[in-house]
């Protein structure tokens, strides 16, 4: 469908599921994607840049993948930190089903995925990873980040990957203004045209 986007809550297109082979946390996995989701053919460039440049997540506690899609970031965190509980959040019902299926296929039984309303409101997160959905538009993107980034636990880090050409620098400035006291925002690296932004909660 012309209006069927990966950020649609209920994609109208036929799912047409497919199997892909990817390497996550040093393991080669056979996972499932489908039409009507972001990057159905494999790990997209931005997610790849994040995985190559981000330090290991916290070893325990609650971790979060914002905009989890079919699950590559959430599964990586879960495999790297088996004693942690990883939450994946997205609005697309199709990717939520895929992420559940893929976490099970990867043996990542410490992953829970759901819509924003299904993530317990009292949770704070030791680590947040995100390849945020830039193409939803600035206002919607800001609402997403305003909802989740302040839920970092004290001492925790959020790592975001954003294309320089799609506003990575302006997003970094906005994050610093939005978060203000108690957070530091910095550019960790630039790789393949993507900014990796670190948000650290100090208090």
């Amino acid at each position: 469908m012309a209006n069927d986007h990966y950020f649609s809550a209920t994609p109208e297109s036929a799912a047409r599921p497919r199997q892909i082979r990817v390497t996550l946390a040093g393991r080669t996995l056979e996972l499932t994607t489908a039409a009507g989701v972001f990057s159905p053919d494999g790990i997209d460039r931005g997610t790849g840049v994040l995985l190559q440049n981000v330090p290991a997540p916290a070893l325990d506690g609650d971790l979060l993948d914002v905009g989890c899609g079919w699950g590559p970031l959430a599964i990586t965190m879960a495999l790297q930190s088996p004693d942690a509980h990883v939450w994946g959040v997205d609005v697309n019902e199709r990717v939520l089903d895929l992420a559940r299926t893929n976490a099970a296929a990867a043996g990542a039984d410490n992953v829970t995925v759901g819509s924003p309303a299904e993530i317990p409101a009292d949770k704070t997160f030791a680590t947040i990873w995100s390849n945020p959905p830039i193409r939803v538009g600035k206002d919607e993107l800001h609402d997403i980040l305003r909802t989740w980034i302040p839920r970092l636990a004290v001492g925790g880090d959020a790592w975001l990957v954003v294309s320089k050409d799609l506003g990575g620098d302006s997003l970094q400035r906005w994050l610093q203004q939005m978060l203000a006291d108690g957070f530091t925002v910095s550019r960790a690296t630039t790789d393949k045209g993507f900014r990796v932004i670190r948000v650290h909660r100090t208090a």
Side-chain angles (χ1 to χ4, degrees):
M1 295 290 181
N3 295 319
D4 193 16
H5 302 291
Y6 68 85
F7 44 82
S8 300
T10 307
E12 298 177 4
S13 59
R16 298 192 300 276
R18 69 195 76 171
Q19 298 298 117
I20 61 170
R21 179 175 293 179
V22 297
T23 300
L24 299 174
R27 292 177 52 186
T28 300
L29 302 169
E30 297 280 349
L31 303 181
T32 305
T33 69
V37 307
F38 178 62
S39 193
D41 296 323
I43 297 172
D44 66 284
R45 289 180 62 198
T47 296
V49 166
L50 188 68
L51 289 172
Q52 290 164 15
N53 288 281
V54 75
L59 294 176
D60 52 25
D62 291 291
L63 317 180
L64 178 67
D65 174 8
V66 178
C68 66
W70 49 263
L73 293 180
I75 291 169
T76 299
M77 286 196 285
L79 295 177
Q80 290 183 337
S81 300
D83 293 329
H85 192 100
V86 180
W87 300 84
V89 62
D90 211 300
V91 298
N92 183 312
E93 295 173 0
R94 185 171 295 170
V95 298
L96 294 176
D97 288 339
L98 290 170
R100 294 183 187 104
T101 297
N102 289 334
D109 58 4
N110 53 331
V111 173
T112 301
V113 298
S115 67
E118 294 174 303
I119 308 300
D122 61 344
K123 293 293 182 185
T124 59
F125 304 100
T127 303
I128 297 175
W129 286 0
S130 183
N131 180 359
I134 296 296
R135 296 185 186 278
V136 298
K138 182 183 291 186
D139 291 344
E140 181 68 19
L141 174 66
H142 287 181
D143 284 346
I144 292 168
L145 298 179
R146 195 182 285 115
T147 296
W148 299 108
I149 302 301
R151 290 176 64 174
L152 266 178
V154 174
D157 288 302
W159 299 88
L160 293 81
V161 62
V162 183
S163 170
K164 176 185 175 183
D165 292 340
L166 293 178
D169 293 340
S170 61
L171 185 65
Q172 180 181 333
R173 291 191 295 270
W174 176 82
L175 282 166
Q176 186 65 76
Q177 294 167 359
M178 184 270 290
L179 294 166
D181 295 340
F183 294 85
T184 61
V185 182
S186 59
R187 183 193 307 164
T189 192
T190 298
D191 188 1
K192 300 181 180 68
F194 288 86
R195 306 299 202 201
V196 177
I197 300 169
R198 179 194 182 198
V199 180
H200 178 69
R201 183 157 197 173
T202 58

